[in-house]
């Protein structure tokens, strides 16, 4: 039953986003695994529309934060304001207090404001004036950044990049898909007609079910082997941390559940590795000068790592 509802969430997103099923699936995987997504792509390819469609499909509260150089941490998490009538301070929540949050152009704001997201993404809470405020559940952040314009930007620190379960790109549609986009948007935006396919309560139940998806010991060894080889690779200065291994396992559990399985396959790991590991690796300067990308290194590691195969009983 839940598998059918997740398929309907995918169909909802595909009504708005043409030809982006992989991106839609990965967004749902991150949501189910209680992770967050970093979406790096050029302006105008539908990043905001993707998050809005996901929020409407699960009946969640959607908030958007436009990051700018003058944005303050209090503009994100909220602020305490003195109420003279009550003679006390009242907490006024910021836009982070939503279920699905779009952090738009996160690399345009200062590191101080970027760090205000750290606690919320990792702990599900914010602290203002010594008081901790719990965030709504479920809580999901999709942050975007523009890879083209670097002037006036602040690259995300490694500690914050590691908080994102997945990093992905959307890419341009092909000519046929772009024609379909024009046809669908000619009269009215399809997103206005979207109805929730699943409730927040059902989504939270599915997030719990993800943890019950079986991960065989051989699969865990495969994950550890892949992570270890990123640390020893000749082109890698800083490899994937144990947090990255945990992230890959959680993503694989969610991916299996999305496809109606209660167990993880090696194919799930191979598909997800580039999205989970690439932003957690720092290449050596020599490799960067040669134009080598983290995805290329991951592809080579996958090619020379033994895939676990189940032994058939005789």
């Amino acid at each position: 039953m839940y598998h059918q509802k997740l398929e309907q969430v995918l169909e909802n997103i595909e009504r708005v986003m043409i030809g982006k099923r992989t991106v839609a699936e990965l967004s749902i995987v991150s949501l189910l695994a209680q992770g967050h997504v970093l979406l790096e792509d050029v302006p105008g390819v539908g990043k905001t529309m993707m998050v809005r469609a996901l929020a409407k499909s699960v009946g969640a509260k959607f908030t958007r934060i436009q990051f700018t150089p003058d944005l303050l941490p209090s503009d994100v998490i909220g602020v305490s304001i003195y109420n003279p009538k009550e003679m006390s301070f009242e907490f006024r929540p910021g836009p982070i207090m939503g279920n699905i949050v779009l952090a738009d152009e996160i690399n345009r704001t200062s590191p101080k404001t970027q760090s205000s997201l750290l606690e919320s993404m990792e702990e599900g809470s914010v602290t203002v004036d010594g008081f901790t405020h719990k965030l709504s559940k479920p809580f999901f952040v999709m942050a975007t950044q523009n890879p083209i314009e670097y002037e006036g930007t602040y690259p995300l620190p490694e500690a914050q990049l590691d908080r994102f379960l997945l990093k992905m790109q959307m890419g341009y549609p092909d000519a046929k898909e772009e024609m379909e986009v024009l046809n669908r948007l000619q009269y009215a935006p399809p997103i206005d007609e979207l109805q929730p396919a699943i409730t927040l309560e059902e989504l939270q139940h599915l997030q719990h079910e993800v943890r019950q998806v079986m991960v065989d010991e051989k699969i865990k060894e495969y994950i550890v082997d892949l992570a270890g080889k990123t640390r020893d690779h000749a082109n890698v200065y800083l490899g994937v941390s144990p947090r990255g291994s945990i992230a890959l396992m959680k993503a694989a559990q969610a991916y299996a559940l999305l496809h109606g399985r209660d167990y993880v396959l090696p194919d799930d790991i191979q598909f997800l590795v580039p999205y989970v590991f690439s932003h957690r690796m720092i290449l050596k300067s020599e490799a960067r000068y040669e134009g080598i990308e983290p995805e290329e290194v991951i592809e080579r590691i996958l090619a020379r790592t033994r895939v676990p195969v189940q032994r058939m009983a005789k």
Side-chain angles (χ1 to χ4, degrees):
M1 179 183 73
Y2 284 123
H3 175 63
Q4 293 176 344
K5 291 196 173 188
L6 288 174
E7 277 294 326
Q8 190 164 354
V9 172
L10 274 172
E11 290 171 11
N12 265 8
I13 297 174
E14 287 189 305
R15 286 174 61 189
V16 177
M17 305 298 301
I18 313 299
K20 303 297 179 188
R21 186 175 180 88
T22 299
V23 177
E25 283 190 351
L26 290 171
S27 299
I28 295 172
V29 162
S30 188
L31 180 60
L32 290 173
Q34 301 182 57
H36 308 284
V37 169
L38 179 62
L39 196 54
E40 184 178 81
D41 221 321
V42 296
V45 292
K47 299 186 289 290
T48 303
M49 197 65 71
M50 163 68 72
V51 192
R52 287 182 59 200
L54 179 60
K56 288 198 98 175
S57 298
V58 299
K61 178 185 176 184
F62 170 73
T63 59
R64 181 176 184 269
I65 308 169
Q66 180 64 55
F67 283 87
T68 57
D70 60 347
L71 196 74
L72 299 174
S74 58
D75 297 327
V76 175
I77 63 176
V79 65
S80 293
I81 297 177
Y82 184 71
N83 184 338
K85 185 177 180 180
E86 300 291 333
M87 298 184 67
S88 63
F89 284 90
E90 294 179 353
F91 175 64
R92 300 290 175 89
I96 199 69
M97 297 291 185
N99 296 120
I100 294 183
V101 180
L102 173 63
D104 210 2
E105 295 187 299
I106 190 174
N107 59 334
R108 287 203 173 279
T109 196
S110 67
K112 182 178 181 181
T113 304
Q114 289 173 359
S115 67
S116 66
L117 281 175
L118 284 176
E119 183 186 2
S120 60
M121 291 171 62
E122 188 69 17
E123 306 296 337
S125 62
V126 296
T127 302
V128 179
D129 294 335
F131 292 95
T132 299
H133 305 272
K134 289 290 183 183
L135 299 177
S136 305
K137 290 187 178 181
F139 176 68
F140 172 70
V141 173
M142 182 174 281
T144 72
Q145 61 179 13
N146 183 351
I148 302 300
E149 299 174 5
Y150 291 108
E151 188 175 345
T153 62
Y154 303 86
L156 292 174
E158 298 308 316
Q160 192 158 337
L161 280 174
D162 211 24
R163 295 297 195 279
F164 291 99
L165 184 75
L166 306 171
K167 179 186 176 184
M168 55 187 177
Q169 297 178 336
M170 295 186 70
Y172 287 115
D174 59 33
K176 184 179 178 182
E177 291 168 349
E178 197 161 354
M179 280 294 295
E180 182 63 24
V181 171
L182 296 181
N183 291 333
R184 293 194 187 184
L185 290 173
Q186 184 174 358
Y187 300 107
I191 194 167
D192 294 340
E193 302 171 4
L194 292 188
Q195 297 296 323
I198 193 171
T199 66
L200 288 181
E201 290 74 19
E202 289 171 329
L203 176 59
Q204 287 182 270
H205 176 72
L206 282 171
Q207 288 178 331
H208 176 74
E209 288 296 308
V210 163
R211 301 172 192 164
Q212 314 307 316
V213 173
M214 190 195 77
V215 185
D216 190 82
E217 289 298 313
K218 293 293 183 184
I219 298 289
K220 293 176 185 175
E221 290 174 5
Y222 186 43
I223 293 171
V224 170
D225 196 13
L226 290 170
K229 285 180 179 176
T230 66
R231 300 163 197 160
D232 301 330
H233 199 279
N235 291 324
V236 179
Y237 174 72
L238 182 67
V240 174
S241 67
R243 182 186 286 162
S245 303
I246 296 169
L248 181 56
M249 182 181 70
K250 287 183 176 179
Q253 288 177 295
Y255 187 76
L257 186 74
L258 178 62
H259 288 83
R261 286 184 275 109
D262 61 355
Y263 55 89
V264 172
L265 295 172
D267 289 349
D268 302 334
I269 303 298
Q270 293 175 335
F271 171 72
L272 290 165
V273 162
Y275 302 105
V276 178
F277 278 7
S278 63
H279 60 292
R280 292 181 160 90
M281 295 166 52
I282 300 178
L283 300 187
K284 292 180 178 177
S285 56
E286 297 89 345
R288 294 200 301 270
Y289 291 147
E290 293 173 14
I292 298 173
E293 298 291 336
E295 290 80 4
E296 296 176 47
V297 174
I298 292 168
E299 189 176 339
R300 294 172 194 170
I301 289 173
L302 282 170
R304 63 184 180 89
T305 303
R306 185 176 175 275
V307 180
V309 179
Q310 183 179 9
R311 294 181 180 178
M312 302 300 292
K314 293 183 180 180

